[in-house]
Amino acid sequence: VRGRDATPGRYAYRLSGHIGTQGAFSFRYGFAAARVKFHRLRGQHGAFWMQPVDGMYPGGIGSEIDVVEYFGDHHPQGGLATFMHRYDGKRRVTSGGWIPDQASFLSSRRDGWSKNYHVFSVEWTPRTLVFRIDGKETARVRGGNSDVRQFPILSLIAADYEIPKIKERHLPQHMYVDWVRVWETSP
């Protein structure tokens, strides 16, 4: 096991889920949205994200756009994050981060990212990425945006640094997706 807060040891195999439209559908600029109810426990993360059709690599002009990542209820930073990863030459650059004041996007104290469905979206233009939850803006990233066709992905994975945080008796965990929609616009 390796990673930013990895715990050495041996762990049981974890099956990750990942579905995307690579080779079947891609778009350049517009809106991408998904209505999702995330898993409850820490130890893995669910995500709605986009990758460049030709991949992301040093010297490439495509960016990974993480519309939303959820790291489970009771995460110290709240659990929800939005990122954009790209290369500037050979150096990997990350923009975005943990969504501040996450509870303000919930409808009540009884609401939650693993209790109810919420719509997570990104508006992608040549200059700006605008991230939203249920239509309310959470973050805005300017500059360095991908200029190439992207394809959407939904995933629930257990990265090696997360595996020690979930106990066998709490598996399986589920991420539910009601729908995914994409509207392509001209630049």
Side-chain angles (χ1 to χ4, degrees):
V1 174
R2 59 189 187 284
R4 55 184 167 257
D5 59 350
T7 303
R10 296 177 59 92
Y11 301 95
Y13 175 78
R14 300 286 193 260
L15 179 63
S16 295
H18 177 109
I19 187 169
T21 63
Q22 185 175 18
F25 172 80
S26 64
F27 73 108
R28 182 172 167 241
Y29 305 131
F31 295 85
R35 188 169 182 258
V36 179
K37 180 167 67 168
F38 284 107
H39 62 289
R40 189 171 58 84
L41 298 175
R42 293 184 61 200
Q44 57 199 349
H45 69 276
F48 171 46
W49 51 299
M50 300 187 305
Q51 275 284 306
V53 169
D54 293 329
M56 198 179 95
Y57 51 88
I61 58 173
S63 302
E64 176 181 311
I65 301 170
D66 299 333
V67 180
V68 64
E69 290 182 289
Y70 188 61
F71 293 85
D73 298 352
H74 310 295
H75 189 279
Q77 284 85 20
L80 282 179
T82 294
F83 293 102
M84 180 181 67
H85 306 284
R86 65 182 177 84
Y87 280 95
D88 183 2
K90 292 184 178 183
R91 187 175 60 100
R92 188 174 167 146
V93 177
T94 297
S95 303
W98 297 105
I99 296 172
D101 198 18
Q102 295 172 23
S104 70
F105 296 95
L106 298 171
S107 63
S108 70
R109 288 181 162 277
R110 300 172 98 167
D111 196 0
W113 311 118
S114 67
K115 293 178 182 178
N116 297 304
Y117 284 93
H118 293 275
V119 176
F120 300 92
S121 65
V122 65
E123 179 181 354
W124 170 32
T125 71
R127 291 189 177 89
T128 308
L129 294 171
V130 180
F131 298 94
R132 294 181 176 94
I133 298 174
D134 296 326
K136 298 176 191 164
E137 186 174 327
T138 60
R140 189 174 285 253
V141 176
R142 290 185 175 92
N145 287 4
S146 184
D147 191 31
V148 299
R149 297 187 74 76
Q150 305 272 137
F151 64 94
I153 303 166
L154 296 160
S155 59
L156 179 58
I157 66 170
D160 53 4
Y161 67 90
E162 296 173 299
I163 289 173
K165 293 177 178 67
I166 194 165
K167 307 292 185 247
E168 288 290 319
R169 68 182 181 276
H170 295 142
L171 294 171
Q173 289 286 297
H174 304 325
M175 174 178 127
Y176 298 94
V177 179
D178 185 28
W179 51 256
V180 176
R181 295 181 181 144
V182 172
W183 299 266
E184 188 168 16
T185 59
S186 57

